[in-house]
Amino acid sequence: MTDDHVAPDPLVRAALQLLPVPPHEDGFWLALGAGMDAAPARAATGGHRLHPLTATVIATADTDTTDSAAGVSASPAAEPREALLPGRAIEPAPVDLVPDTTLALVPPGLRRRSNAVLSAVAVAAAVLVVVAGTTLVRQRGGGPTDVATLVGVDADAAASSSTTPVVVSDPSDPASPTGAVLRWVAALGAGDIDAAWAAMAQGSRAHFGSKATFAEERTGLAEGYGAWSAAPPDAMVVTPVSASGDGQLVVVTLVGTIDQEGQRQHRADAFPVRIVDGQASVEPFAVAGELDFLVPEDVPADGTRPLVGRDDELAVVVPRGVVAPIIRLDDGDTLVCGDAEGTELTELTDAPGQRCSYHPEGGIEAGDRVLTVAFVSADGAGISAASVVFEAA
Amino acid sequence: MSSSVTSLPDVELAELARLGDRLAFEALLQRHDQRMRGLSYRLLADRHGMDDALQEAYLKAYRGLHRFKPGSDFGTWLYRITYNACIDELRKRKRSPGATTDPIDPISARPGPERVVTAEETVREALATLPVSQRVAVVLVDGEGFDHREAAEILGVAPGTVASRLHRARAAVRRALGEDLG
């Protein structure tokens, strides 16, 4: 989509200007101050110092006279300074920023995670992901299996029933997609760019162009994908997407509670994995196009979103021209959208794209659910995948 | 060196706040509060809910300051936390007995043939037709003036996703405005 589609819309903009923005109710700032007093912030222990070590910070009157708010109370550490009180002049007071010599300035990228944590992840993975076995869900065109689902059964059973085994139960096996994902997030979490780069498939490396460019994203990657390295996920689901002479593409969905952007979030993230010649490599950046969740709504970060009703239809938007996107609820059947019973794939009339909808037979059971959607580009070089956690009423 | 809180740029205030200076954090809140109110009120359409969401958002930001990445944009970070708090607020409402499916009260649901539809109500009605993910896209881009890449960063989604949502949201808003005003 070009920028022409996203330039400001004057009509909508003018309409939004008609909505007033009300001031806070009385007591808002006092309540906030009390909340801050009750739960003081944790001071950071590192980072770039952008200010002289000792400064005089002067709180001045706020100019927002539309707000009738009272002031935020001063922190104990700042006594006897006044807090910022809208509409009130405040005496200047010094703020001591004497460095605490016990706090080392260690760049985040150099802080390696404990091996014990990573070992725990690997062990937990071995326990959690007793994945295996491909269960035929659909055969398209009467040909060999090209879309299958892996269900969480024991490894022995899987080995005996599998026709195209793509997953092994031991994450340390180089062919294990879950192992590839866990190794990759562990490397990102530890700031080990070499290991993270080595764990990626060619398409994702090509996205960055060079390891140096990839390394520039070290911090963001560590805080994003790397957040999964801090603790074992609650569950992992492996969804095969396609198989060809060039190998197999699967999606590993990690489900769990992680800390991102200062918030604890229960979420699910999808990690495409390419398996070639017995070697699994993550392929998160060779995207085949945009995916947009309609139901459940695609709400980021903390994973909370409006409830989905039992009889609601799950729906996503995939790019125009995408063939056979797959959709999967929890670890249920992997369905080809538009082909499988209960699904539809229709062209949007008022926007570019196709709507893939899925109405599970019998409705959506109440509770926390995970929806995974994926599709592959026509040449097999790109794969897009996404998973979301949502709550069904 | 002496300075005024209100004259320091965000990046310096944020660093001071991150290192434990509460006044710096309060100054940042004062600076960004009106825009956060704009976002939350347009998403929630309710002053009380707006305050609840912002209390939660500001406290989360305060408690999470140590995780704020030095040098990054404080406003973007706060927008994201505020948006998440609004989603939490919507979720709470849907769990409440008797709650409607959308906090924005549709005009069409109000009784009385004599009601007068104001332009403000028409816009509220138009927004009410949108899912939250689309509503926030138009609020951020058309209401707050972000470009779609900045909005994507706030929402934690791909720019193309925001563009797609904008496209659908604007079409729906235009239809709704046309029906009510036209």
Side-chain angles (χ1 to χ4, degrees):
Chain A
M1 189 168 289
T2 69
D3 285 355
D4 292 341
H5 291 84
V6 292
D9 183 316
L11 175 65
V12 177
R13 181 170 181 76
L16 289 174
Q17 299 303 320
L18 294 173
L19 288 181
V21 178
H24 291 297
E25 294 176 340
D26 290 343
F28 175 87
W29 293 107
L30 283 175
L32 180 64
M36 291 164 69
D37 288 340
R42 280 173 50 195
T45 57
H48 309 291
R49 193 171 292 284
L50 300 174
H51 204 273
L53 294 181
T54 300
T56 299
V57 178
I58 303 172
T60 58
D62 190 87
T63 55
D64 184 359
T65 56
T66 63
D67 198 326
S68 60
V72 181
S73 67
S75 65
E79 296 294 357
R81 287 181 295 160
E82 295 282 346
L84 294 177
L85 303 176
R88 284 178 52 185
I90 295 177
E91 293 295 320
V95 176
D96 294 328
L97 295 176
V98 179
D100 183 345
T101 55
T102 63
L103 304 179
L105 297 176
V106 181
L110 299 181
R111 291 188 217 127
R112 299 182 66 87
R113 291 179 186 277
S114 162
N115 285 337
V117 172
L118 301 183
S119 299
V121 171
V123 170
V127 174
L128 285 169
V129 186
V130 196
V131 181
T134 49
T135 302
L136 176 63
V137 180
R138 292 196 57 82
Q139 290 188 1
R140 295 170 50 240
T145 305
D146 64 353
V147 177
T149 184
L150 295 180
V151 293
V153 297
D154 70 85
D156 290 338
S160 62
S161 64
S162 171
T163 54
T164 52
V166 295
V167 180
V168 294
S169 58
D170 179 4
S172 66
D173 190 302
S176 163
T178 53
V181 170
L182 292 175
R183 284 191 294 276
W184 188 61
V185 298
L188 291 175
D192 188 343
I193 290 299
D194 289 339
W197 180 259
M200 290 198 303
Q202 192 57 44
S204 292
R205 293 186 190 181
H207 169 79
F208 288 97
S210 70
K211 188 160 65 175
T213 305
F214 177 64
E216 290 174 3
E217 306 296 329
R218 173 200 310 257
T219 303
L221 289 167
E223 293 180 354
Y225 290 114
W228 283 104
S229 67
D234 297 334
M236 290 185 273
V237 179
V238 181
T239 303
V241 178
S242 73
S244 69
D246 297 330
Q248 291 174 288
L249 282 168
V250 306
V251 172
V252 175
T253 298
L254 302 187
V255 185
T257 302
I258 60 175
D259 290 315
Q260 278 185 335
E261 301 287 340
Q263 295 186 50
R264 177 146 286 214
Q265 308 160 29
H266 182 57
R267 58 180 295 148
D269 282 337
F271 298 76
V273 174
R274 191 180 295 276
I275 306 166
V276 179
D277 296 333
Q279 177 69 49
S281 305
V282 294
E283 189 75 291
F285 302 112
V287 296
E290 297 291 341
L291 259 174
D292 193 9
F293 284 91
L294 298 178
V295 182
E297 294 181 23
D298 183 17
V299 181
D302 69 353
T304 55
R305 53 178 49 80
L307 293 172
V308 172
R310 180 180 184 86
D311 295 325
D312 282 355
E313 185 179 70
L314 302 169
V316 299
V317 173
V318 300
R320 200 169 269 165
V322 162
V323 176
I326 63 152
I327 189 165
R328 187 183 195 191
L329 183 59
D330 299 327
D331 58 355
D333 291 349
T334 304
L335 306 174
V336 176
C337 203
D339 194 7
E341 188 174 347
T343 70
E344 283 187 8
L345 185 64
T346 54
E347 287 282 333
L348 295 176
T349 56
D350 56 354
Q354 302 174 93
R355 185 177 192 274
C356 161
S357 61
Y358 172 37
H359 195 287
E361 185 179 0
I364 305 168
E365 291 182 17
D368 283 344
R369 316 305 301 265
V370 177
L371 182 66
T372 297
V373 180
F375 59 87
V376 179
S377 62
D379 62 1
I383 175 171
S384 293
S387 296
V388 288
V389 171
F390 67 97
E391 187 175 354
Chain B
M1 178 180 138
S2 293
S3 182
S4 157
V5 163
T6 52
S7 67
L8 289 175
D10 269 15
V11 67
E12 292 197 16
L13 278 178
E15 183 61 2
L16 288 172
R18 209 177 68 86
L19 294 172
D21 186 338
R22 180 161 154 178
L23 276 189
F25 178 69
E26 292 169 3
L28 284 165
L29 290 188
Q30 293 293 333
R31 185 175 293 174
H32 291 277
D33 180 61
Q34 184 159 6
R35 299 188 83 184
M36 298 307 137
R37 278 187 280 130
L39 172 65
S40 53
Y41 185 71
R42 284 166 180 155
L43 288 180
L44 302 171
D46 167 58
R47 186 183 178 196
H48 185 69
M50 173 192 82
D51 271 4
D52 283 350
L54 289 181
Q55 283 278 342
E56 188 65 26
Y58 291 171
L59 285 174
K60 276 186 177 176
Y62 183 60
R63 293 168 189 150
L65 275 172
H66 62 289
R67 298 182 65 95
F68 177 74
K69 190 166 65 176
S72 57
D73 189 294
F74 181 84
T76 298
W77 186 68
L78 191 59
Y79 260 115
R80 186 165 182 170
I81 292 172
T82 298
Y83 172 60
N84 287 329
C86 290
I87 297 302
D88 280 343
E89 179 67 21
L90 289 171
R91 193 182 195 201
K92 284 179 201 166
R93 293 179 184 189
K94 288 197 172 184
R95 280 179 163 168
S96 301
T100 60
T101 55
D102 196 294
I104 297 180
D105 176 26
I107 297 167
S108 55
R110 297 176 192 173
E114 71 285 357
R115 68 181 171 81
V116 176
V117 179
T118 66
E120 178 188 335
E121 286 177 321
T122 302
V123 176
R124 285 161 55 89
E125 172 85 350
L127 285 178
T129 64
L130 304 177
V132 175
S133 59
Q134 293 181 28
R135 199 182 307 162
V136 72
V138 292
V139 168
L140 287 175
V141 175
D142 292 324
E144 298 295 323
F146 288 101
D147 70 33
H148 75 295
R149 291 179 186 82
E150 293 168 328
E153 186 180 351
I154 290 168
L155 300 176
V157 300
T161 301
V162 172
S164 171
R165 290 174 183 174
L166 268 178
H167 191 87
R168 292 197 298 277
R170 285 168 173 170
V173 168
R174 280 177 171 272
R175 274 198 306 274
L177 293 177
E179 287 168 5
D180 285 327
L181 298 175

Tab-separated table of all heavy atoms in Angstrom, chain A residues 94-136:
chain	number	residue	atom	x	y	z
A	94	PRO	N	16.588	22.504	44.118
A	94	PRO	CA	17.619	21.704	43.480
A	94	PRO	C	17.256	20.222	43.460
A	94	PRO	O	16.589	19.726	44.360
A	94	PRO	CB	18.838	21.938	44.356
A	94	PRO	CG	18.276	22.253	45.698
A	94	PRO	CD	16.999	22.984	45.442
A	95	VAL	N	17.673	19.585	42.438
A	95	VAL	CA	17.519	18.137	42.336
A	95	VAL	C	18.908	17.545	42.269
A	95	VAL	O	19.684	17.869	41.383
A	95	VAL	CB	16.735	17.736	41.079
A	95	VAL	CG1	16.673	16.223	40.962
A	95	VAL	CG2	15.338	18.326	41.123
A	96	ASP	N	19.223	16.749	43.229
A	96	ASP	CA	20.546	16.139	43.257
A	96	ASP	C	20.572	14.909	42.375
A	96	ASP	O	19.780	13.992	42.549
A	96	ASP	CB	20.924	15.752	44.690
A	96	ASP	CG	21.092	16.990	45.542
A	96	ASP	OD1	21.511	18.027	45.001
A	96	ASP	OD2	20.781	16.910	46.733
A	97	LEU	N	21.459	14.936	41.459
A	97	LEU	CA	21.615	13.778	40.586
A	97	LEU	C	23.010	13.213	40.754
A	97	LEU	O	23.692	12.872	39.802
A	97	LEU	CB	21.365	14.170	39.129
A	97	LEU	CG	19.940	14.623	38.845
A	97	LEU	CD1	19.821	15.083	37.405
A	97	LEU	CD2	18.970	13.499	39.115
A	98	VAL	N	23.434	13.118	41.994
A	98	VAL	CA	24.741	12.550	42.268
A	98	VAL	C	24.716	11.070	41.925
A	98	VAL	O	23.817	10.347	42.343
A	98	VAL	CB	25.105	12.723	43.753
A	98	VAL	CG1	26.460	12.101	44.046
A	98	VAL	CG2	25.103	14.203	44.082
A	99	PRO	N	25.646	10.640	41.149
A	99	PRO	CA	25.598	9.249	40.722
A	99	PRO	C	25.819	8.280	41.865
A	99	PRO	O	26.629	8.529	42.745
A	99	PRO	CB	26.742	9.157	39.703
A	99	PRO	CG	27.675	10.253	40.096
A	99	PRO	CD	26.818	11.345	40.635
A	100	ASP	N	25.087	7.230	41.816
A	100	ASP	CA	25.286	6.164	42.782
A	100	ASP	C	26.399	5.278	42.252
A	100	ASP	O	26.267	4.611	41.236
A	100	ASP	CB	23.982	5.363	42.917
A	100	ASP	CG	24.091	4.275	43.960
A	100	ASP	OD1	25.221	3.951	44.365
A	100	ASP	OD2	23.052	3.761	44.365
A	101	THR	N	27.506	5.271	42.963
A	101	THR	CA	28.667	4.535	42.454
A	101	THR	C	28.454	3.032	42.482
A	101	THR	O	29.244	2.279	41.916
A	101	THR	CB	29.909	4.873	43.279
A	101	THR	OG1	29.619	4.619	44.658
A	101	THR	CG2	30.294	6.327	43.108
A	102	THR	N	27.392	2.618	43.171
A	102	THR	CA	27.149	1.175	43.193
A	102	THR	C	26.425	0.724	41.935
A	102	THR	O	26.258	-0.465	41.703
A	102	THR	CB	26.284	0.793	44.398
A	102	THR	OG1	25.014	1.422	44.257
A	102	THR	CG2	26.935	1.243	45.686
A	103	LEU	N	25.960	1.694	41.157
A	103	LEU	CA	25.203	1.333	39.964
A	103	LEU	C	26.108	1.368	38.746
A	103	LEU	O	26.535	2.428	38.314
A	103	LEU	CB	24.025	2.291	39.782
A	103	LEU	CG	23.078	2.378	40.981
A	103	LEU	CD1	21.976	3.379	40.687
A	103	LEU	CD2	22.492	1.028	41.309
A	104	ALA	N	26.384	0.257	38.218
A	104	ALA	CA	27.274	0.202	37.063
A	104	ALA	C	26.511	0.548	35.799
A	104	ALA	O	25.351	0.189	35.641
A	104	ALA	CB	27.867	-1.188	36.942
A	105	LEU	N	27.147	1.255	34.927
A	105	LEU	CA	26.528	1.595	33.653
A	105	LEU	C	26.862	0.508	32.644
A	105	LEU	O	27.835	0.588	31.914
A	105	LEU	CB	27.022	2.948	33.162
A	105	LEU	CG	26.661	4.124	34.062
A	105	LEU	CD1	27.273	5.395	33.526
A	105	LEU	CD2	25.150	4.266	34.153
A	106	VAL	N	26.072	-0.491	32.638
A	106	VAL	CA	26.326	-1.624	31.745
A	106	VAL	C	25.313	-1.603	30.623
A	106	VAL	O	24.112	-1.680	30.869
A	106	VAL	CB	26.212	-2.965	32.502
A	106	VAL	CG1	26.494	-4.132	31.570
A	106	VAL	CG2	27.164	-2.963	33.680
A	107	PRO	N	25.750	-1.440	29.405
A	107	PRO	CA	24.797	-1.454	28.291
A	107	PRO	C	23.993	-2.741	28.290
A	107	PRO	O	24.539	-3.821	28.556
A	107	PRO	CB	25.704	-1.375	27.055
A	107	PRO	CG	26.975	-0.816	27.558
A	107	PRO	CD	27.115	-1.288	28.971
A	108	PRO	N	22.707	-2.631	28.001
A	108	PRO	CA	21.857	-3.814	28.011
A	108	PRO	C	22.393	-4.942	27.141
A	108	PRO	O	22.282	-6.114	27.472
A	108	PRO	CB	20.518	-3.302	27.478
A	108	PRO	CG	20.549	-1.846	27.745
A	108	PRO	CD	21.983	-1.428	27.654
A	109	GLY	N	22.973	-4.586	26.031
A	109	GLY	CA	23.440	-5.616	25.122
A	109	GLY	C	24.583	-6.446	25.677
A	109	GLY	O	24.869	-7.538	25.199
A	110	LEU	N	25.255	-5.894	26.689
A	110	LEU	CA	26.368	-6.633	27.274
A	110	LEU	C	25.957	-7.439	28.490
A	110	LEU	O	26.751	-8.156	29.063
A	110	LEU	CB	27.496	-5.660	27.667
A	110	LEU	CG	28.091	-4.873	26.508
A	110	LEU	CD1	29.193	-3.964	27.008
A	110	LEU	CD2	28.637	-5.829	25.459
A	111	ARG	N	24.709	-7.252	28.885
A	111	ARG	CA	24.233	-8.026	30.030
A	111	ARG	C	23.706	-9.356	29.529
A	111	ARG	O	22.637	-9.460	28.971
A	111	ARG	CB	23.110	-7.269	30.749
A	111	ARG	CG	23.589	-6.029	31.448
A	111	ARG	CD	22.454	-5.465	32.287
A	111	ARG	NE	22.509	-4.017	32.229
A	111	ARG	CZ	21.483	-3.263	31.898
A	111	ARG	NH1	20.337	-3.807	31.596
A	111	ARG	NH2	21.609	-1.960	31.854
A	112	ARG	N	24.469	-10.380	29.722
A	112	ARG	CA	24.060	-11.688	29.233
A	112	ARG	C	23.145	-12.361	30.248
A	112	ARG	O	23.314	-12.240	31.439
A	112	ARG	CB	25.284	-12.561	28.987
A	112	ARG	CG	26.219	-11.989	27.954
A	112	ARG	CD	27.375	-12.932	27.743
A	112	ARG	NE	26.943	-14.189	27.149
A	112	ARG	CZ	26.836	-14.378	25.849
A	112	ARG	NH1	27.114	-13.414	25.016
A	112	ARG	NH2	26.454	-15.530	25.381
A	113	ARG	N	22.205	-13.065	29.726
A	113	ARG	CA	21.293	-13.766	30.609
A	113	ARG	C	21.985	-15.004	31.169
A	113	ARG	O	22.903	-15.544	30.591
A	113	ARG	CB	20.037	-14.198	29.836
A	113	ARG	CG	19.214	-13.015	29.441
A	113	ARG	CD	17.999	-13.451	28.669
A	113	ARG	NE	17.290	-12.289	28.168
A	113	ARG	CZ	16.438	-11.594	28.905
A	113	ARG	NH1	16.213	-11.948	30.136
A	113	ARG	NH2	15.823	-10.554	28.400
A	114	SER	N	21.477	-15.394	32.301
A	114	SER	CA	22.059	-16.557	32.946
A	114	SER	C	21.870	-17.792	32.084
A	114	SER	O	20.816	-18.025	31.513
A	114	SER	CB	21.368	-16.761	34.300
A	114	SER	OG	21.583	-18.056	34.752
A	115	ASN	N	22.915	-18.595	32.040
A	115	ASN	CA	22.779	-19.860	31.317
A	115	ASN	C	21.718	-20.739	31.956
A	115	ASN	O	21.116	-21.580	31.305
A	115	ASN	CB	24.115	-20.600	31.305
A	115	ASN	CG	25.075	-19.953	30.334
A	115	ASN	OD1	24.653	-19.269	29.398
A	115	ASN	ND2	26.360	-20.139	30.560
A	116	ALA	N	21.543	-20.537	33.252
A	116	ALA	CA	20.546	-21.358	33.938
A	116	ALA	C	19.157	-21.095	33.378
A	116	ALA	O	18.353	-22.016	33.224
A	116	ALA	CB	20.570	-21.062	35.435
A	117	VAL	N	18.883	-19.841	33.054
A	117	VAL	CA	17.574	-19.507	32.492
A	117	VAL	C	17.405	-20.171	31.131
A	117	VAL	O	16.380	-20.777	30.822
A	117	VAL	CB	17.418	-17.981	32.347
A	117	VAL	CG1	16.151	-17.647	31.582
A	117	VAL	CG2	17.403	-17.336	33.729
A	118	LEU	N	18.462	-20.083	30.332
A	118	LEU	CA	18.362	-20.669	28.997
A	118	LEU	C	18.235	-22.187	29.079
A	118	LEU	O	17.503	-22.810	28.317
A	118	LEU	CB	19.593	-20.283	28.177
A	118	LEU	CG	19.778	-18.770	28.012
A	118	LEU	CD1	20.982	-18.488	27.122
A	118	LEU	CD2	18.532	-18.137	27.439
A	119	SER	N	18.961	-22.763	30.032
A	119	SER	CA	18.849	-24.211	30.200
A	119	SER	C	17.436	-24.586	30.610
A	119	SER	O	16.878	-25.581	30.155
A	119	SER	CB	19.846	-24.690	31.266
A	119	SER	OG	21.157	-24.389	30.856
A	120	ALA	N	16.880	-23.735	31.492
A	120	ALA	CA	15.514	-24.018	31.940
A	120	ALA	C	14.547	-23.965	30.778
A	120	ALA	O	13.621	-24.766	30.675
A	120	ALA	CB	15.099	-23.006	33.005
A	121	VAL	N	14.779	-23.019	29.874
A	121	VAL	CA	13.920	-22.913	28.690
A	121	VAL	C	14.013	-24.181	27.859
A	121	VAL	O	13.009	-24.753	27.431
A	121	VAL	CB	14.312	-21.693	27.842
A	121	VAL	CG1	13.581	-21.708	26.505
A	121	VAL	CG2	14.003	-20.413	28.601
A	122	ALA	N	15.231	-24.645	27.665
A	122	ALA	CA	15.415	-25.835	26.835
A	122	ALA	C	14.787	-27.063	27.474
A	122	ALA	O	14.112	-27.852	26.815
A	122	ALA	CB	16.911	-26.074	26.608
A	123	VAL	N	14.981	-27.192	28.782
A	123	VAL	CA	14.406	-28.345	29.471
A	123	VAL	C	12.892	-28.283	29.434
A	123	VAL	O	12.212	-29.276	29.141
A	123	VAL	CB	14.899	-28.395	30.936
A	123	VAL	CG1	14.107	-29.434	31.721
A	123	VAL	CG2	16.385	-28.708	30.961
A	124	ALA	N	12.379	-27.097	29.707
A	124	ALA	CA	10.926	-26.948	29.686
A	124	ALA	C	10.379	-27.239	28.307
A	124	ALA	O	9.316	-27.839	28.153
A	124	ALA	CB	10.543	-25.540	30.114
A	125	ALA	N	11.140	-26.838	27.306
A	125	ALA	CA	10.689	-27.085	25.944
A	125	ALA	C	10.596	-28.570	25.676
A	125	ALA	O	9.662	-29.054	25.035
A	125	ALA	CB	11.646	-26.436	24.959
A	126	ALA	N	11.579	-29.306	26.178
A	126	ALA	CA	11.572	-30.745	25.959
A	126	ALA	C	10.345	-31.378	26.590
A	126	ALA	O	9.788	-32.343	26.084
A	126	ALA	CB	12.839	-31.358	26.544
A	127	VAL	N	9.920	-30.786	27.703
A	127	VAL	CA	8.749	-31.328	28.387
A	127	VAL	C	7.467	-30.880	27.714
A	127	VAL	O	6.555	-31.666	27.472
A	127	VAL	CB	8.747	-30.868	29.869
A	127	VAL	CG1	7.461	-31.289	30.567
A	127	VAL	CG2	9.968	-31.428	30.585
A	128	LEU	N	7.439	-29.595	27.391
A	128	LEU	CA	6.203	-29.026	26.866
A	128	LEU	C	5.910	-29.474	25.442
A	128	LEU	O	4.788	-29.751	25.069
A	128	LEU	CB	6.271	-27.498	26.899
A	128	LEU	CG	6.113	-26.849	28.266
A	128	LEU	CD1	6.481	-25.379	28.179
A	128	LEU	CD2	4.690	-26.999	28.757
A	129	VAL	N	6.980	-29.499	24.668
A	129	VAL	CA	6.755	-29.758	23.261
A	129	VAL	C	7.020	-31.204	22.958
A	129	VAL	O	8.054	-31.556	22.452
A	129	VAL	CB	7.648	-28.890	22.401
A	129	VAL	CG1	7.297	-29.052	20.948
A	129	VAL	CG2	7.504	-27.481	22.830
A	130	VAL	N	6.105	-31.995	23.344
A	130	VAL	CA	6.225	-33.372	22.930
A	130	VAL	C	5.408	-33.404	21.660
A	130	VAL	O	4.324	-33.945	21.600
A	130	VAL	CB	5.671	-34.306	23.978
A	130	VAL	CG1	6.145	-35.723	23.723
A	130	VAL	CG2	6.133	-33.879	25.340
A	131	VAL	N	5.981	-32.727	20.716
A	131	VAL	CA	5.224	-32.517	19.498
A	131	VAL	C	5.646	-33.563	18.503
A	131	VAL	O	6.744	-34.024	18.535
A	131	VAL	CB	5.545	-31.158	18.904
A	131	VAL	CG1	4.733	-30.926	17.655
A	131	VAL	CG2	5.302	-30.115	19.923
A	132	ALA	N	4.748	-33.875	17.697
A	132	ALA	CA	5.213	-34.701	16.644
A	132	ALA	C	4.083	-35.162	15.811
A	132	ALA	O	2.965	-34.795	16.018
A	132	ALA	CB	5.884	-35.880	17.225
A	133	GLY	N	4.352	-35.913	14.914
A	133	GLY	CA	3.295	-36.560	14.226
A	133	GLY	C	2.481	-35.635	13.375
A	133	GLY	O	1.980	-34.644	13.844
A	134	THR	N	2.384	-35.908	12.186
A	134	THR	CA	1.538	-35.077	11.365
A	134	THR	C	0.237	-35.803	11.146
A	134	THR	O	0.210	-36.971	10.844
A	134	THR	CB	2.199	-34.791	10.025
A	134	THR	OG1	2.658	-36.008	9.501
A	134	THR	CG2	3.343	-33.840	10.184
A	135	THR	N	-0.822	-35.068	11.399
A	135	THR	CA	-2.149	-35.621	11.195
A	135	THR	C	-2.736	-34.948	9.977
A	135	THR	O	-2.844	-33.740	9.934
A	135	THR	CB	-3.043	-35.344	12.409
A	135	THR	OG1	-2.416	-35.910	13.548
A	135	THR	CG2	-4.413	-35.928	12.211
A	136	LEU	N	-3.071	-35.730	9.058
A	136	LEU	CA	-3.618	-35.143	7.846
A	136	LEU	C	-4.919	-34.437	8.156
A	136	LEU	O	-5.807	-34.983	8.762
A	136	LEU	CB	-3.871	-36.244	6.809
A	136	LEU	CG	-4.540	-35.774	5.521
A	136	LEU	CD1	-3.634	-34.795	4.791
A	136	LEU	CD2	-4.872	-36.955	4.641
